Amino acid sequence: MPATANDHPADRPRSWWGWGYADAQPDDAECLALGALLPGTLARPLPLPRIADLPIGDPGATPPASLAHLVTADPAERAAHAMGKAYRDVIRALRGRPGRIPDLVARPSRDQDVADLLDWAGEHAVAVIPFGGGSSVVGGVEYRGDAHRAVLSLDLTAMDRVLEIDTTSRSALIQAGALGPVLEGQLRPHGLTLRHFPQSFEFSTLGGWLATRAGGHYATVRTHIDDFVQSLRVVTPAGTSASWRLPASGAGPSPDRLFLGSEGSLGVITEAWMRLQERPRHKAAASVAFTDFHRALDAVRDIARSDLAPANCRLLDPGEALLSGASHDGSTVLVLGFESATAPADDRLATALELARAHGGRAEPPTAGRGAEAGTAVGAWRSAFLRMPYLRDGLARMGAVVETFETAATWDRVPALIDAVRTEVGAAALEATGHRATVNCRLTHVYPDGAAPYFTVVVAGRPGDEVRIWDDIKAAATDVLHRHRATVTHHHAVGRDHRPGYDTQRPEPFALALRAVKNALDPHHVLNPGVLLGRHTP
């Protein structure tokens, strides 16, 4: 059946240089208040950057008349497509050093538009960078190099419709440019949901989630977008790839797995059949406080090994709990949430709380139903979770270095990994800045065999030297992850900035195979030079 048409939400200006909406960015007074909490920051916030001050020259290529209606060279559009939203990107914009700004921005509305743009780019030495919502935090949407005469940012957000819903199979055909709220708004009238909610949900697209193998908010079982894919349609310079729509198959290597996580280096994902779920009708949540972080880890491991499958199972160390407002007494806090479309979730929550108490946890009274989390530690965490990227930008304006990096490791390695990151990354930040850093940890996703620790580093920087400091801290973090056999990324993709760490982890035969695929699908090296292709030079 066709999807119900859904009007787009009212336009709200996005920040071209920072996270989210322009009107949600901290003002100067809030920036000063944030800076007062971190000794060594600037006396006044850096001024908001202006597009008029950027070095935006004339485009290095001109599209033919047949494509002109799809393409713009507007300076504001080009600036908004120049970088992602990592700290490194934000501070470069604030310092007026955004890097290579794309020459052109294109907004195709159908597959043929994408194919025509790739054909033109291949004939004229124009690099193409697929672009969704622009929330990349790993340098995945910017061009670094000089092998092409011009750069085209291929913005897919005009391709944002749910084209068809199959209620029998409970799945939907969705265009890749649909932002999270737009996608869910079209599914809601049918009582269905994709149920994939990354922190960037408002500002990222289905295609971006697929191209980066994104992780969502769900803490167990269905943690990654991979789990929801039935089939993909991908336009490449060598033609279109369309996999069969199947619930499962053992017929050799999966064509979808080739493109999932390829970050636009092999083709442009334009459509996908996605598995859906009924919208949850029953919810229950609670928080548990621990005086011992390592006993809390044991509790989380037991919950992960049970068949309870919590939707939310986030462990906040004392620093993270304080930062989010979930605790003010030095406790480690476990945030638990359960949901179901068919039956109350209270019994599963009660069982999880029993497991937590067995490891010394002190549970608050559970809450149930929609909106019941307000006023609890769970609600405080949720509010802080959504606001945190904006506060990161406010601290950046005060000259602080603020960044989160994530990983995953097996349970036998998790405790030592966390201890090593706190110690060694903290030492690297102190050496780079002369200031002591705060290194907080939280577990965001848990599995029977391991967990995904996320680390947030906050330290006062040196004026004008923030990017180098960021690079030094990242290098120290990458070294720790490598030594502890932890992945360089749990769900933030590889991009340009994770590339050195990725190269030490990927098997060489795998890289060799990907180089061969890249050369076959993109013989003219049109697409943004791939991050997954080993030592390949475009």
Side-chain angles (χ1 to χ4, degrees):
M1 63 181 292
T4 302
N6 186 73
D7 292 336
H8 291 196
D11 288 340
R12 185 180 177 188
R14 291 272 302 274
S15 171
W16 71 268
W17 63 270
W19 184 263
Y21 297 112
D23 60 8
Q25 282 286 337
D27 59 20
D28 286 2
E30 188 174 1
C31 290
L32 286 168
L34 290 168
L37 302 175
L38 190 64
T41 53
L42 301 175
R44 61 180 62 87
L46 294 171
L48 295 177
R50 302 190 315 153
I51 293 174
D53 296 332
L54 297 178
I56 301 178
D58 294 333
T62 302
S66 59
L67 298 176
H69 66 291
L70 301 174
V71 179
T72 180
D74 177 72
E77 290 280 5
R78 293 166 64 185
H81 289 75
M83 299 178 296
K85 302 303 181 185
Y87 170 84
R88 186 179 186 276
D89 306 322
V90 169
I91 199 67
R92 284 188 298 155
L94 289 169
R95 294 292 185 184
R97 300 193 292 266
R100 176 73 179 263
I101 295 172
D103 298 79
L104 301 165
V105 176
R107 282 192 171 84
S109 60
R110 56 188 182 128
D111 279 23
Q112 189 59 54
D113 293 341
V114 175
D116 291 344
L117 287 162
L118 292 181
D119 287 345
W120 168 72
E123 294 171 359
H124 295 85
V126 175
V128 176
I129 303 177
F131 191 100
S135 64
S136 170
V137 293
V138 291
V141 297
E142 65 179 285
Y143 181 87
R144 299 181 192 173
D146 56 7
H148 298 81
R149 61 182 288 201
V151 177
L152 172 73
S153 181
L154 188 68
D155 188 316
L156 275 293
T157 53
M159 301 174 66
D160 65 351
R161 309 311 298 166
V162 175
L163 300 173
E164 184 178 348
I165 294 178
D166 175 358
T167 55
T168 302
S169 305
R170 207 165 66 182
S171 54
L173 176 62
I174 307 171
Q175 289 183 306
L179 292 160
V182 174
L183 184 160
E184 287 291 334
Q186 294 175 77
L187 297 177
R188 188 173 295 108
H190 303 271
L192 297 171
T193 176
L194 181 59
R195 188 54 183 88
H196 183 79
F197 299 115
Q199 189 176 34
S200 62
F201 172 75
E202 289 181 279
F203 313 113
S204 55
T205 62
L206 173 64
W209 302 342
L210 296 167
T212 59
R213 295 185 65 201
H217 175 70
Y218 208 95
T220 61
V221 187
R222 303 183 188 94
T223 61
H224 278 70
I225 195 66
D226 314 32
D227 302 318
F228 301 101
V229 176
Q230 268 189 343
S231 69
L232 297 180
R233 184 176 181 85
V234 186
V235 177
T236 82
T240 297
S241 170
S243 59
W244 283 21
R245 182 183 164 214
L246 296 166
S249 175
S254 166
D256 294 336
R257 288 283 172 180
L258 177 66
F259 296 106
L260 287 168
S262 64
E263 300 185 49
S265 63
L266 302 179
V268 182
I269 299 171
T270 58
E271 295 176 4
W273 273 99
M274 304 297 294
R275 300 181 178 94
L276 305 178
Q277 304 174 55
E278 293 183 40
R279 299 185 68 81
R281 291 187 288 272
H282 306 276
K283 296 184 179 182
S287 66
V288 186
F290 296 83
T291 57
D292 187 307
F293 179 76
H294 288 280
R295 291 197 70 188
L297 283 177
D298 292 339
V300 171
R301 186 178 67 241
D302 281 357
I303 293 170
R305 288 178 175 174
S306 71
D307 60 356
L308 298 172
N312 197 6
C313 186
R314 299 205 172 210
L315 185 66
L316 315 177
D317 75 1
E320 193 75 16
L322 177 63
L323 191 65
S324 67
S327 172
H328 298 279
D329 62 1
S331 296
T332 292
V333 175
L334 172 61
V335 178
L336 285 170
F338 290 83
E339 61 183 40
S340 171
T342 58
D346 307 85
D347 288 347
R348 284 190 292 152
L349 175 60
T351 302
L353 292 177
E354 289 178 10
L355 291 173
R357 290 189 187 101
H359 293 278
R362 307 183 312 278
E364 69 170 8
T367 60
R370 299 183 186 276
E373 296 172 355
T376 67
V378 180
W381 163 79
R382 184 179 300 279
S383 297
F385 178 74
L386 297 174
R387 183 62 179 161
M388 194 58 65
Y390 292 103
L391 300 183
R392 186 275 315 261
D393 290 357
L395 282 166
R397 290 187 61 198
M398 296 303 298
V401 178
V402 188
E403 190 62 289
T404 296
F405 67 94
E406 31 80 29
T407 184
T410 52
W411 280 117
D412 60 314
R413 301 177 188 274
V414 166
L417 169 66
I418 293 173
D419 290 344
V421 168
R422 286 171 171 162
T423 301
E424 297 183 38
V425 173
L430 176 61
E431 181 178 354
T433 66
H435 299 287
R436 292 195 177 277
T438 298
V439 184
N440 295 330
C441 174
R442 65 185 183 272
L443 300 191
T444 63
H445 300 72
V446 293
Y447 307 91
D449 55 345
Y454 280 45
F455 300 93
T456 299
V457 184
V458 183
V459 64
R462 296 182 189 276
D465 206 21
E466 296 92 349
V467 172
R468 184 193 62 78
I469 292 169
W470 185 92
D471 289 338
D472 289 347
I473 294 173
K474 184 171 185 63
T478 301
D479 180 64
V480 175
L481 299 183
H482 179 65
R483 285 190 284 107
H484 287 263
R485 306 286 289 184
T487 180
V488 71
T489 173
H490 174 254
H491 77 245
H492 279 164
V494 176
R496 301 299 183 190
D497 298 328
H498 282 345
R499 176 64 183 273
Y502 177 82
D503 282 351
T504 65
Q505 296 183 358
R506 54 105 178 106
E508 185 57 31
F510 173 71
L512 179 65
L514 277 178
R515 284 197 291 273
V517 171
K518 172 69 176 176
N519 287 330
L521 292 179
D522 190 9
H524 299 293
H525 308 305
V526 172
L527 292 166
N528 186 30
V531 297
L532 304 179
L533 307 178
R535 291 183 293 272
H536 174 69
T537 300

